[in-house]
Amino acid sequence: MPTLLLVRHGRSTANTAGVLAGRTPHVPLDELGASQAEALPGRLAALPLAALVSSPLQRCQETLAPLRAARPELPAHTEERLNECDYGQWTGRALSELGQEKLMATVQQHPSAATFPGGESMRGMQTRAVEAVRDWNARIQAEHGEGATYLMCSHGDVIKSLVADALGLHLDLFQRISVAPCSVTVVRYTPLRPFVLRLGDTGELESLAPPRETVAETAGEPATGTAAVPDPGAPDGPSPAERPGDGSSDAVVGGAA
């Protein structure tokens, strides 16, 4: 089954302002977020990718723009089910203000019971995101083979809920997971269970590249869209810690989304 790279969008102007953007349109990356996006093609250069799949929101589309420009041969798709959680009446409000809402304690401690006023439940968010991944896994495998690797760009809460599913964690534990802006989380899916190979990685990704001897022999060149992923039990080496001041905090809903 395929290997999935989950990329959180780069730091946005809402992250910088401490506002819960949610599905607000026209929220761009800030200057740091744009530089994070520009660095993404280099970080992924060693990895053969089969496709790019993205949330429809501007900050995700902008995050993938440099990668699409660097690798124009990659098919790019927009997937509505990767959209940010619908925070309803919370959308556009300051996180400092939302911290005073009684519902926030539920969001942090018992998220499976949380439904945003006029919006979506956190259970519903996880369900549609997991269904999207399962559907895309089947499609990528059918079109590119079992060893294919592909990328999805989405939002903090969505990615954390997908990681919880991959780890077999109840949604009530997903707030223990942190994914920084423009970080890469890697999940290898197999017929029996997924393996989380990287979590919120903001550093190098070359060690995920397939060994040359395992790549299809086509005139000595790697086959497009296929990758043999390292044994999940093998050591990956240390991952860089989150940098202070880069908007990486997920302490509140979506880290300001």
Side-chain angles (χ1 to χ4, degrees):
M1 295 181 70
T3 295
L4 172 60
L5 308 183
L6 288 164
V7 177
R8 184 181 174 191
H9 62 78
R11 196 175 76 173
S12 72
T13 54
N15 293 136
T16 309
V19 171
L20 186 64
R23 296 184 178 183
T24 304
H26 312 305
V27 175
L29 301 181
D30 69 5
E31 185 176 353
L32 175 60
S35 67
Q36 291 171 333
E38 289 292 341
L40 193 58
R43 293 172 62 202
L44 298 173
L47 305 183
L49 297 174
L52 308 177
V53 187
S54 178
S55 158
L57 293 182
Q58 179 176 338
R59 52 196 184 271
C60 288
Q61 299 286 336
E62 288 185 0
T63 298
L64 291 188
L67 182 58
R68 292 179 65 177
R71 300 170 75 166
E73 76 284 358
L74 287 178
H77 310 272
T78 297
E79 171 58 73
E80 183 65 37
R81 291 174 293 179
L82 295 180
N83 207 339
E84 177 62 284
C85 186
D86 183 355
Y87 297 118
Q89 296 170 20
W90 281 26
T91 301
R93 293 176 61 187
L95 290 168
S96 58
E97 176 187 328
L98 290 173
Q100 308 305 313
E101 295 279 356
K102 291 180 66 174
L103 179 61
M104 183 59 82
T106 303
V107 169
Q108 296 299 317
Q109 304 299 328
H110 189 23
S112 66
T115 299
F116 296 97
E120 184 177 27
S121 71
M122 301 199 88
R123 296 189 317 279
M125 173 197 70
Q126 183 185 44
T127 297
R128 47 106 167 155
V130 169
E131 287 177 350
V133 168
R134 298 293 190 271
D135 289 347
W136 277 98
N137 280 351
R139 176 174 173 174
I140 295 296
Q141 179 170 326
E143 294 179 359
H144 301 278
E146 291 186 358
T149 298
Y150 73 109
L151 182 152
M152 285 182 164
C153 185
S154 190
H155 307 269
D157 281 348
V158 175
I159 293 173
K160 287 159 57 179
S161 74
L162 289 169
V163 172
D165 173 75
L167 292 173
L169 293 178
H170 195 281
L171 184 62
D172 285 344
L173 300 177
F174 99 127
Q175 297 288 24
R176 301 183 182 192
I177 298 166
S178 178
V179 289
C182 222
S183 64
V184 179
T185 293
V186 184
V187 183
R188 177 189 178 187
Y189 288 89
T190 77
L192 297 180
R193 57 184 174 179
F195 294 92
V196 177
L197 304 184
R198 297 287 179 92
L199 177 61
D201 199 322
T202 57
E204 68 80 27
L205 296 164
E206 291 185 6
S207 59
L208 291 167
R212 291 189 62 84
E213 62 269 19
T214 66
V215 180
E217 297 178 1
T218 307
E221 295 296 327
T224 301
T226 60
V229 178
D231 180 352
D236 291 324
S239 296
E242 293 180 1
R243 295 184 296 275
D246 67 353
S248 62
S249 173
D250 280 291
V252 189
V253 183

